[in-house]
Amino acid sequence: MKSFLGIDWGGTYIKAGVVNDRGKILKKIVYVSKSLTDKKAFVDNVILMVKDLRSFKIKAVGIGAPGIINLKKGFIYYLPNIPGWKNFPLKSVLRKKLKMPVFIDNDANAFG
């Protein structure tokens, strides 16, 4: 069975859920991160989540981020609530490190 990791990236928390290919929620996680402004720390947190959830055999990661994002490129132009996040290629960085598909969109669009 295929599983996917969905991440809701807020100003204080990272909320994540593992769902199967039928949309059933298999696990919910909330990470409190004091280092959301640090790009490397955020990337490391996502990698750690995937490693911690390896028993679910995750096939792809989707992230809803609170800001201005190029959907096709997964490029973050600006996150108004999280200082330090401007002009960063999050999708390509995570894809290289995770070796799986990564999708990034504005959190309001992802919620819809």
Side-chain angles (χ1 to χ4, degrees), residues 3 6 9-10 14-15 19 23 30 35 39 42 45 49 63-65 68 72-73 78 86 89-90 92:
S3 297
W9 180 7
I14 300 169
K15 296 176 184 172
V19 297
V30 176
S35 58
K39 294 176 183 97
F42 179 81
N45 278 335
M49 277 187 237
I63 299 174
I68 301 168
K72 284 185 179 182
K73 294 180 181 178
Y78 177 63
K86 287 184 181 178
L90 184 60
S92 64

Side-chain angles (χ1 to χ4, degrees), residues 39-53:
K39 294 176 183 97
K40 183 182 179 325
F42 179 81
V43 168
D44 289 346
N45 278 335
V46 173
I47 293 166
L48 181 62
M49 277 187 237
V50 172
K51 285 182 180 178
D52 286 349
L53 299 166

Side-chain angles (χ1 to χ4, degrees), residues 15-101:
K15 296 176 184 172
V18 177
V19 297
N20 67 15
D21 53 0
R22 295 180 182 225
K24 180 180 177 188
I25 298 170
L26 304 174
K27 183 157 180 96
K28 294 180 186 178
I29 311 145
V30 176
Y31 287 88
V32 179
S33 180
K34 296 177 184 173
S35 58
L36 288 175
T37 60
D38 180 350
K39 294 176 183 97
K40 183 182 179 325
F42 179 81
V43 168
D44 289 346
N45 278 335
V46 173
I47 293 166
L48 181 62
M49 277 187 237
V50 172
K51 285 182 180 178
D52 286 349
L53 299 166
R54 68 182 157 268
S55 64
F56 290 100
K57 298 179 183 165
I58 294 169
K59 300 295 182 192
V61 176
I63 299 174
I68 301 168
I69 297 169
N70 179 312
L71 176 62
K72 284 185 179 182
K73 294 180 181 178
F75 188 89
I76 294 177
Y77 290 110
Y78 177 63
L79 301 182
N81 298 332
I82 305 174
W85 281 87
K86 287 184 181 178
N87 301 319
F88 187 74
L90 184 60
K91 177 180 178 174
S92 64
V93 169
L94 284 172
R95 243 170 48 160
K96 286 178 188 172
K97 292 185 180 282
L98 293 172
K99 297 181 181 16
M100 68 176 63

Side-chain angles (χ1 to χ4, degrees), residues 99-112:
K99 297 181 181 16
M100 68 176 63
V102 175
F103 304 90
I104 301 171
D105 199 355
N106 173 272
D107 56 354
N109 292 340
F111 179 74

